[in-house]
Every structure is written in C-alpha cells, then in structure tokens.
C-alpha cells in the first residue's frame, strides 16, 4: 500500500510503481489501436448509407391520385375509429388477423405524444386543403379531429402536478397495465389518470410542431385560442426552468431544449423553433424574446451540422426526424429574409444527407420549403415521383395498408459489409470489448440499399425507422395507426406536390391476412 510521505516539509503524492506503469502502457497499447479500429469499422459500416445510389425512376410506381385520395380517407376513418381511444394516437391489437376484428388492447403509449403531434399536423393540412377545394364535409371532419386531438394534448400538458408534459395519460379505471417506474397518478378536468413521465425531446418536438401548423392553417377562432393557450403553457414551463424538463420528483431527466455544446445536446435552431411557434400564437409575448435568442444571443448561427445523426442512420434514424420536425416549422414560419435563408441552408444540408433514403416525409418537406411542386419541378428531378412511389407502395403491402404486423413478403438483401462487421464484433476477436462499445454503436445486419415501404415491417411511424432495417414481422394482430401516410399525403396535397383525385369516388380494397 502506498502512503503519502513528508519530504522537505511538504507532502508528496505516491509515485506509481514500475508494475503499474507497465500495466498502463500495456492497456493503452491495446485500447488505442482497438478504438481506432472500432472507429474505422463504424465509418466503413456507415458507407452503406453514405454511398446509397439515387433510386431508379424506372422502378417507380405511377402516381394514381385517385387511389391515394381513397387510401387517405380510409386511414382517416380507421385512425378515428381504432387508434385514438383517449384522444391520443396509439397502436391497436385486434382479436383477428384475417378480418378487421375487434380491438382487444393498445400499445405504443411511450411515443404517443410525438405521433399525436404528427397526426395534428396532418389534420391541419387536411383541413386547409379541403377548405381550399370546397370540400366542406371533409374539412368539418378534420376540424372535429383537430378539436379532439387538442383535448388529448391539453391533458398530457396538464395532468402532471408540476406542469411537465406527459408521454401519454390513461384513465385510471381503464389503465391496461401495472403502475411501475415513471408512471404516476395525476388528474385532469376532475378525472384521475395514470401518466408516463420521463418525457423526451422527440415528444415535445412532435407536439410543438403539430400545434404550430394547427394555428397556421386552421382558421377557426376556438382552435386558435386553444392552441395559443397550450403553446404558452408549454413555453412558459421551459422558460421558467431554463429549458429543462423536470420530473415529478423535481429532478431534470436529461431533456434539455436549450442550445448546448455537449455531444448529444441540441443546437440553437431547436430553441428558436419553439420560440417561433410562440411568436406565431402570441407575438406580443414572444416576438422580442425570439429576436433576442436568434440575433442577440446568435442562436441562429449556433447550429450543428446533421452529420453526427447521419453516423447512426442505419440504426437510429429517429434522430434525423427530430431535426426535420423543428426545421420544417422554423423555416416555414420565418419571414425575415436573412434568417429564412440561413434556415433553408441548414435544411438543405440535412436533405442531402438523406435524399436517396426513400424517406417520403423528408423529401416532401424539402419540396415544400423549396417551393417545388408538380408544375415547376426542374427537368431531370424526380423527387416528386419518389414521394409518390413511396405512398403508392403502401397499397401493395398489408403491413402498411391496413398496417398489420404481417410478415414482410419481400425483405431486402443483407449488406455484406454489415454481415462482415456484425460477425467480427459478435463472434470473432472483435467481440472482446464489444459489450462496452455496443452502448455507443451496434452493428446489426441491414439491407444493402434503402428499402421502399412495401419491403419494410410494420411500425408506429415508418419515417422514424431506418430504411435499411430488416424485419420479419409478426402474426397480423397488431396494427399501426397509419398517420405516417396521412401526414405526407395531406402535406403534399396542400403544397400541390400531389394532384387532387380525378375520381373522388374511387374504390380500394383492404386485405387482411
């Protein structure tokens, strides 16, 4: 045992022995090359996505505007009937897999807030499109759905005693599980609920985006008053707490919406997106604050390139969706020319990271912000056809339409690069430290090219999952909500990226099993 000794009236720390130094050198000599090799493997693995070729237009399914319209209306009815039992979007389990059957239970609560926000945005675009087209019946249906969804958002924003947003809230008498960690008892409008805490940034992003577009596109006084109140409550909560989410015990949970310099933090554009929605609904209260953050604090330039998210494309694609949600709202709402140009530049960088990924929502948002529609798409550009192809392929895949977890009929071809590294880090010598490195980066076997929707397994929101992910599916009893189709379709209809139907009475078939 080493002890501190006094020499010349001063204390000296113990000196490492030669054995200790030798051990440190040996460990360093092993770890440093291993780390370097691991980084090389990550880069080689990610080339699967970096080097994805542009999709071949000759393989695109022709856009049938009448079929897409009929599919959108089917999804609208199905979501309202089966996927919003308590005014929040959920997945649903049925008691049959060869017919529609009857709901027996629900799932997907953990991410319910985010997909509810996307549903709200979809209904806002649907309302504005139908109003413009003179389709008052469907505009009224969309308005009713918006009103119902705002009740659900009001609930999750106020069910917690400390004012923090919940991931979801379920009536106590109907709660389908056991109360465990991160589940709490709360109340809203005189009723008790079990709500889930530990609300992450993606949940807040989906909600603020949905609220922003609801206010922008829905010319209904009651809706706008409700949205303004909810946005103000949400913003004031974060402003009072330094942009930190605080759990019911009073502790930050790691959700920080302010600009940060740490590796996994947000950038200045996130904060600005929230404040921009605030300025939209209450310019008197938030306009000066938005300007202070954007210009005086220079958050507009304190933004990070999305390449770090791209490093995880093949396994953590949802990180890219978080940036797109906020950038789309921020760039859409901005009117000051210099700031808008800056936001569009950042968005363009994000787009070029994923433009070949067959991710229809990213491509549709980019088209909208670039003011590209079916009347002015440059010669040789096929982005609109890419988006249309993705939506058309929902119809031919039962795991997309109606959205059951059936086995995928034609999954993708495994990437030999992915197989090589997966085997090396699980079966070969590379597995020595893989249990540690796996916390940072996994090497799952993935497709060698981005997969179209008909070749991907059922999930809650398709565009948040890697287009390279291979999945077999289940037995067909579990159904996703389908708002991953409606949000793209109605956005494209509003911006005239996809044409209105030529036949409003077109029929479609829904196949179970």
């Amino acid at each position: 045992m080493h002890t501190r000794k006094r020499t010349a009236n001063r204390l000296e720390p113990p000196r490492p022995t030669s054995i200790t130094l030798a051990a440190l050198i040996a460990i360093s000599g092993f770890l440093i090359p291993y780390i370097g090799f691991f980084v090389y493997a990550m880069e080689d693995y990610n080339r699967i996505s970096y080097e994805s070729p542009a999709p071949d237009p000759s393989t695109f399914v022709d856009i049938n505007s009448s079929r897409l319209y009929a599919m959108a209306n089917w999804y609208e009815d199905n979501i309202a009937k089966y996927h919003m039992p308590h005014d929040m979007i959920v997945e649903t389990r049925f008691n049959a897999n060869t017919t529609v059957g009857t709901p027996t239970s629900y799932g997907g609560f953990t991410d319910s807030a985010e997909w509810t926000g996307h549903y709200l945005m979809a209904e806002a675009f649907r309302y504005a499109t139908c109003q413009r087209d003179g389709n008052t019946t469907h505009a009224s249906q969309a308005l009713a759905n918006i009103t119902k969804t705002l009740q659900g958002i009001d609930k999750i924003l106020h069910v917690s005693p400390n004012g923090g947003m919940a991931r979801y809230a379920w009536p106590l008498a109907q709660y389908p599980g056991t109360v465990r960690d991160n589940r709490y008892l709360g109340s809203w409008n005189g009723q008790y609920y079990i709500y889930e805490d530990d609300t992450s940034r993606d949940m807040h992003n989906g909600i603020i985006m949905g609220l922003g577009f609801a206010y922008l596109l829905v010319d209904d006084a009651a809706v706008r008053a409700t949205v303004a109140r909810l946005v103000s409550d949400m913003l004031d909560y974060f402003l009072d707490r330094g942009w930190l989410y605080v759990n019911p015990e009073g502790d930050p949970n790691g959700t920080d919406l302010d600009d940060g310099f740490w590796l996994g933090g947000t950038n200045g554009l996130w904060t600005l997106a929230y404040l921009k929605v605030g300025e939209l609904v209450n310019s008197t209260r938030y306009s000066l604050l938005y300007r202070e953050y954007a210009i005086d604090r220079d958050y507009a330039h304190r933004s990070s390139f999305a390449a770090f998210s791209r490093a995880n494309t093949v396994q953590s694609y949802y990180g890219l969706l978080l940036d797109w949600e906020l950038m789309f709202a921020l760039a859409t709402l901005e009117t000051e020319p210099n700031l808008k140009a800056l936001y569009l530049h950042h968005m363009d960088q994000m787009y070029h990271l994923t433009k070949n990924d067959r991710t229809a929502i990213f491509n549709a948002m980019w088209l909208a912000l670039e003011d590209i529609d079916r009347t002015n798409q440059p010669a040789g550009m096929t982005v609109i056809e890419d988006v249309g192809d993705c939506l058309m392929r929902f119809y031919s895949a039962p795991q997309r339409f109606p959205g059951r977890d059936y086995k995928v009929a034609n999954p993708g071809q495994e990437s030999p690069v992915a197989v090589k590294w997966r085997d090396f880090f699980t079966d070969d010598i590379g597995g020595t430290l893989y249990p540690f490195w796996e916390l940072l980066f996994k090497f799952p076997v993935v497709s060698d090219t981005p997969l179209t929707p008909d070749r991907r397994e059922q999930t809650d929101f398709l565009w948040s999952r890697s287009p390279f992910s291979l999945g077999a599916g289940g037995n067909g009893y579990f159904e996703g909500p389908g708002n991953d189709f409606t949000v793209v379709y109605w956005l494209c209809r509003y911006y005239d990226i996809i044409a209105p139907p030529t036949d409003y009475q077109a029929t479609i078939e829904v196949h179970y099993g």
Side-chain angles (χ1 to χ4, degrees):
M1 180 179 68
H2 295 285
T3 59
R4 295 161 67 92
K5 62 180 180 179
R6 184 177 295 276
T7 303
N9 296 320
R10 62 186 176 88
L11 290 175
E12 290 185 348
R15 297 178 180 177
T17 65
S18 58
I19 296 177
T20 304
L21 287 172
L24 290 174
I25 292 172
I27 293 173
S28 299
F30 172 75
L31 285 179
I32 292 175
Y34 188 93
I35 292 171
F37 189 74
F38 193 86
V39 171
Y40 166 77
M42 289 172 56
E43 179 65 18
D44 189 45
Y45 184 83
N46 277 311
R47 287 196 183 97
I48 301 167
S49 63
Y50 294 158
E51 300 176 358
S52 293
D56 181 0
S58 69
T59 66
F60 290 166
V61 178
D62 291 337
I63 299 175
N64 183 326
S65 61
S66 299
R67 176 176 292 176
L68 292 180
Y69 177 74
M71 291 171 64
N73 287 328
W74 182 89
Y75 277 121
E76 294 289 358
D77 293 341
N78 202 62
I79 291 171
K81 188 174 183 179
Y82 295 119
H83 294 280
M84 293 193 73
H86 298 290
D87 305 335
M88 299 283 294
I89 290 289
V90 295
E91 296 177 279
T92 305
R93 180 175 291 278
F94 291 84
N95 64 354
N97 65 354
T98 56
T99 62
V100 61
T102 302
T104 59
S105 61
Y106 300 97
F109 311 134
T110 301
D111 290 340
S112 179
E114 184 170 13
W115 312 141
T116 300
H118 281 79
Y119 175 71
L120 177 61
M121 183 173 76
E123 293 306 289
F125 277 110
R126 180 191 182 200
Y127 172 85
T129 300
C130 293
Q131 280 283 85
R132 181 189 64 197
D133 295 349
N135 189 339
T136 57
T137 299
H138 284 184
S140 297
Q141 291 176 1
L143 185 62
N145 293 339
I146 289 166
T147 302
K148 182 179 180 181
T149 306
L150 291 176
Q151 292 177 355
I153 294 174
D154 195 336
K155 176 172 58 182
I156 61 170
L157 282 175
H158 298 105
V159 68
S160 173
N162 76 350
M165 190 180 84
R167 285 179 173 267
Y168 73 91
W170 202 274
L172 177 62
Q174 302 177 38
Y175 183 64
T178 58
V179 179
R180 53 187 188 276
D181 289 346
N182 298 331
R183 272 69 167 183
Y184 299 89
L185 179 65
S187 63
W188 179 74
N189 281 0
Q191 185 175 359
Y192 286 110
Y193 290 85
I194 296 295
Y195 68 94
E196 181 172 348
D197 179 61
D198 199 23
T199 311
S200 55
R201 293 176 293 176
D202 46 345
M203 301 301 107
H204 293 96
N205 283 10
I207 293 298
I208 198 70
M209 179 187 66
L211 290 173
F213 281 103
Y215 191 93
L216 179 68
L217 299 172
V218 181
D219 57 353
D220 180 85
V223 165
R224 286 187 167 178
T226 300
V227 170
R229 173 176 60 84
L230 297 177
V231 169
S232 295
D233 289 350
M234 190 173 176
L235 277 180
D236 291 348
Y237 172 88
F238 279 113
L239 288 167
D240 289 344
R241 292 162 178 80
W243 296 98
L244 296 175
Y245 178 84
V246 180
N247 67 22
E249 279 86 25
D251 299 321
N253 78 332
T255 295
D256 184 356
L257 298 179
D258 199 3
D259 178 40
F261 296 98
W262 59 289
L263 188 62
T266 62
N267 63 62
L269 299 178
W270 281 53
T271 318
L272 294 181
Y274 283 74
L275 290 173
K276 194 65 184 178
V277 174
E279 181 185 50
L280 173 70
V281 305
N282 191 335
S283 61
T284 302
R285 190 170 185 177
Y286 297 109
S287 183
L288 290 178
L289 190 59
Y290 170 75
R291 182 177 178 84
E292 175 190 336
Y293 273 81
I295 299 174
D296 299 340
R297 302 191 188 192
D298 200 26
Y299 275 33
H301 290 92
R302 289 165 64 178
S303 58
S304 62
F305 187 55
F308 182 73
S309 293
R310 186 61 170 173
N312 254 359
T313 295
V314 292
Q315 58 182 331
S316 299
Y317 205 78
Y318 66 87
L320 291 164
L321 179 64
L322 304 190
D323 282 331
W324 273 101
E325 289 168 341
L326 295 185
M327 282 306 304
F328 184 54
L330 180 58
T332 298
L333 297 177
E334 185 56 70
T335 57
E336 199 283 321
N338 292 325
L339 287 176
K340 190 175 185 73
L342 180 64
Y343 300 155
L344 289 176
H345 172 70
H346 187 76
M347 179 275 304
D348 203 50
Q349 289 179 306
M350 290 166 40
Y351 167 71
H352 284 287
L353 289 174
T354 59
K355 65 180 181 179
N356 295 332
D357 284 2
R358 315 308 309 274
T359 305
I361 194 170
F362 296 171
N363 289 346
M365 288 177 172
W366 181 80
L367 289 166
L369 291 174
E370 290 292 319
D371 293 325
I372 297 173
D373 60 35
R374 60 192 179 91
T375 68
N376 65 2
Q377 181 175 229
M381 179 183 287
T382 58
V383 183
I384 291 178
E385 290 76 12
D386 187 349
V387 173
D389 176 70
C390 285
L391 295 183
M392 289 295 296
R393 289 176 183 270
F394 273 61
Y395 189 67
S396 61
Q399 74 273 20
R400 301 269 79 80
F401 184 78
R404 296 292 180 94
D405 63 334
Y406 299 113
K407 291 183 178 180
V408 179
N410 184 24
Q413 179 68 37
E414 292 183 348
S415 166
V417 174
V419 172
K420 174 185 71 175
W421 289 119
R422 192 280 309 272
D423 290 346
F424 179 81
F425 282 105
T426 56
D427 300 329
D428 298 334
I429 190 172
T432 305
L433 294 180
Y434 188 56
F436 167 74
W437 290 110
E438 194 174 11
L439 298 174
L440 303 176
F441 194 90
K442 297 179 175 65
F443 291 91
V445 173
V446 294
S447 169
D448 56 355
T449 58
L451 301 176
T452 48
D454 53 320
R455 302 174 68 189
R456 298 170 62 180
E457 65 179 332
Q458 180 269 339
T459 186
D460 47 11
F461 194 83
L462 181 65
W463 317 118
S464 68
R465 313 301 176 190
S466 171
F468 298 88
S469 179
L470 295 169
N475 53 20
Y477 289 92
F478 210 66
E479 183 177 281
N483 58 319
D484 43 12
F485 180 96
T486 60
V487 70
V488 177
Y489 175 78
W490 291 115
L491 186 155
C492 288
R493 281 292 314 281
Y494 179 79
Y495 288 107
D496 201 25
I497 296 168
I498 289 178
T502 56
D503 179 7
Y504 282 85
Q505 307 303 320
T507 59
I508 53 175
E509 296 181 357
V510 184
H511 297 282
Y512 296 89

